[in-house]
Amino acid sequence: MSVYFYGCITMDGYLADQNHGLDWLNLTGGVEDTGYEDFYRRMDITIMGRRTFQAIGSSGDAEKIYPTTRNYVFTHSKTLPGKGVEPISGDAAAFVSQLGREKNIWIIGGNTILAPLLEQDMVDHMFIQIAPVLLGEGIPLFTQKERLRRFRLERVNRYGQFAEMVYSKL
């Protein structure tokens, strides 16, 4: 099993604005400007939180956006609108642990899911894209409470206005 974080942040480290909006990202460029399609082809499972799902959901059903992966959303709700997603609850690290060794798992979105996985040293790879935007405030990628973790820089890619850093766990 390999656990990946793949996402875009602002230059000042935010995943979303204060209202969990992504307008700053949508106005900067699209997935066609990145290596997203190659990355997604390698994934078996996506995991996201409810707020990320809601932000993505505004652009269509998850089944259309993530058609070849099994898709999970951490939420307290028993059902979710749209097709192609399964609601789950509980501990993110425990859930990921039981998914199977042969799976590539993509953690989409914020620190609510990412932080416990980092804490348990379960994140193997991080693809962090940086958009040329400063928000000043918003939802940060990291909680600022993570303890020391070291990663190795594998490569740096440029996609239009985006810089992408690819890291692997030491």
Side-chain angles (χ1 to χ4, degrees), residues 15-32:
L15 279 168
D17 66 25
Q18 292 181 74
N19 299 315
H20 301 274
L22 297 174
D23 287 344
W24 64 269
L25 176 59
N26 298 328
L27 295 172
T28 306
V31 295
E32 63 278 354

Side-chain angles (χ1 to χ4, degrees), residues 2-37:
S2 286
V3 176
Y4 294 79
F5 170 82
Y6 179 100
C8 188
I9 60 173
T10 62
M11 291 187 333
D12 49 355
Y14 297 109
L15 279 168
D17 66 25
Q18 292 181 74
N19 299 315
H20 301 274
L22 297 174
D23 287 344
W24 64 269
L25 176 59
N26 298 328
L27 295 172
T28 306
V31 295
E32 63 278 354
D33 297 325
T34 68
Y36 169 79
E37 289 188 23

Side-chain angles (χ1 to χ4, degrees), residues 129-141:
Q129 294 169 351
I130 300 175
V133 175
L134 293 171
L135 284 179
E137 56 188 353
I139 310 301
L141 173 57

